[in-house]
């Protein structure tokens, strides 16, 4: 179902399909491991906040809010709330490792683009992406349309 | 590995073990589907912000920041940054559905407790939890100690 969103350079594990699980999807959730990153970049709060917002925009999402925090002696945690759900990042500079997750609802946002952008920006030598549908189990459809991949009634339509 | 964290009343799918994947873990990530929730509760931003912070505390985590947004005509998105990573929630009141994820690093936080608390608070009739290790692949250990489930060098130790 997500083949149309797939960038060939990313290693993808279709975890949901491997488990034989079907899901009436309201959204797609990517768990992304980024290994051998640039250790200086992943310890820089301001830089990470900027590129996470940029990643959201590249995916076609609308950034609403963000909250970032750095740690002592190193490491950064950050979340970006988008109209279509969220992006998060947690970094372990001492291991060159960044844990990212991207959850998007609706059909207009492409989370794989954000993943590819972050791999490039953080200079990750290796990436692993596990993708999951979020929503309701037991859907019988096999096409994107059958899965009903739509957002909340007002996915992307914020109050205030 | 997570058996010691397991509350018997939660349906658990050991997705990582089903796939035969091993991971040198720095953290645990739960993807939680909550179905048939109280629709008024999951459309109430102030309430959700309060109970998500409470859920973090029940898990033993330290809340640092939160960012919540409501949608028109309904639905709420929210993230809570904790010293040990994050909690997020996205709700579709029209479906009685809430999508939660909880990512915790270190060994002092129990994300399953937060999941159980949220199920109860949101009056969810059904819950599904998929649990994943985050970190490095190809660990050979089979015990929690072997997996090296530890946080960032300063997991929980914030700047400022």
């Amino acid at each position: 179902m997500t083949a149309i969103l797939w960038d060939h350079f990313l290693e993808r594990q279709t975890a949901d399909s491997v488990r034989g699980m079907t899901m009436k999807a309201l959204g797609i959730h990517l768990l992304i491991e980024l290994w051998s990153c640039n250790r200086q970049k992943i310890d820089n709060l301001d830089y990470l906040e900027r590129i996470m917002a940029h990643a959201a925009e590249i995916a076609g999402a609308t950034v609403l809010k963000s909250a970032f925090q750095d740690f002592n002696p190193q490491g950064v945690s950050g979340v970006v709330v988008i109209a279509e759900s969220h992006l998060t990042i947690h970094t372990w500079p001492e291991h060159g490792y960044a844990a990212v997750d991207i959850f998007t609802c609706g059909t207009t946002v492409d989370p794989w683009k954000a993943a590819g952008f972050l791999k490039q920006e953080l200079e990750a030598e290796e990436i692993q992406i596990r993708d999951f549908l979020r929503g309701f189990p037991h859907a019988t459809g096999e096409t994107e349309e059958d899965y009903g991949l739509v957002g909340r009634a007002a996915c992307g339509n914020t109050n205030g």
Side-chain angles (χ1 to χ4, degrees), chain A:
Chain A
M1 185 208 69
T2 53
I4 57 168
L5 303 175
W6 174 240
D7 287 328
H8 69 280
F9 62 89
L10 300 174
E11 178 195 353
R12 175 177 172 223
Q13 298 201 357
T14 56
D16 277 330
S17 57
V18 166
R19 284 201 307 282
M21 172 185 243
T22 59
M23 177 81 71
K24 176 84 170 172
L26 295 171
I28 294 174
H29 204 144
L30 305 185
L31 301 188
I32 304 167
E33 320 299 326
L34 293 163
W35 296 301
S36 301
C37 296
N38 180 312
R39 294 181 181 213
Q40 287 186 306
K41 283 185 170 183
I42 64 172
D43 201 25
N44 183 330
L45 184 149
D46 292 339
Y47 167 78
L48 291 175
E49 187 157 16
R50 199 165 60 241
I51 69 154
M52 288 295 284
H54 196 177
E57 291 160 3
I58 282 175
T62 302
V63 175
L64 299 176
K65 297 179 177 181
S66 70
F68 279 67
Q69 173 75 49
D70 54 3
F71 294 88
N72 184 14
Q74 56 193 339
V76 176
S77 280
V79 295
V80 179
V81 180
I82 56 177
E84 303 83 2
S85 294
H86 75 251
L87 297 82
T88 76
I89 187 167
H90 304 279
T91 70
W92 282 256
E94 68 272 31
H95 297 306
Y97 169 68
V100 169
D101 81 285
I102 305 175
F103 180 17
T104 60
C105 65
T107 54
T108 62
V109 180
D110 183 346
W112 303 92
K113 284 187 180 171
F117 169 76
L118 290 172
K119 176 184 186 299
Q120 188 170 33
E121 267 294 327
L122 300 177
E123 302 172 30
E125 289 178 16
E126 288 186 89
I127 185 171
Q128 180 202 63
I129 302 180
R130 290 174 280 183
D131 63 322
F132 305 95
L133 299 177
R134 303 296 304 267
F136 296 89
H138 313 312
T140 54
E142 293 189 358
T143 69
E144 184 164 345
E145 198 170 272
D146 289 339
Y147 270 104
L149 186 61
V150 293
R152 61 171 62 73
C155 183
N157 191 14
T158 60
N159 281 329

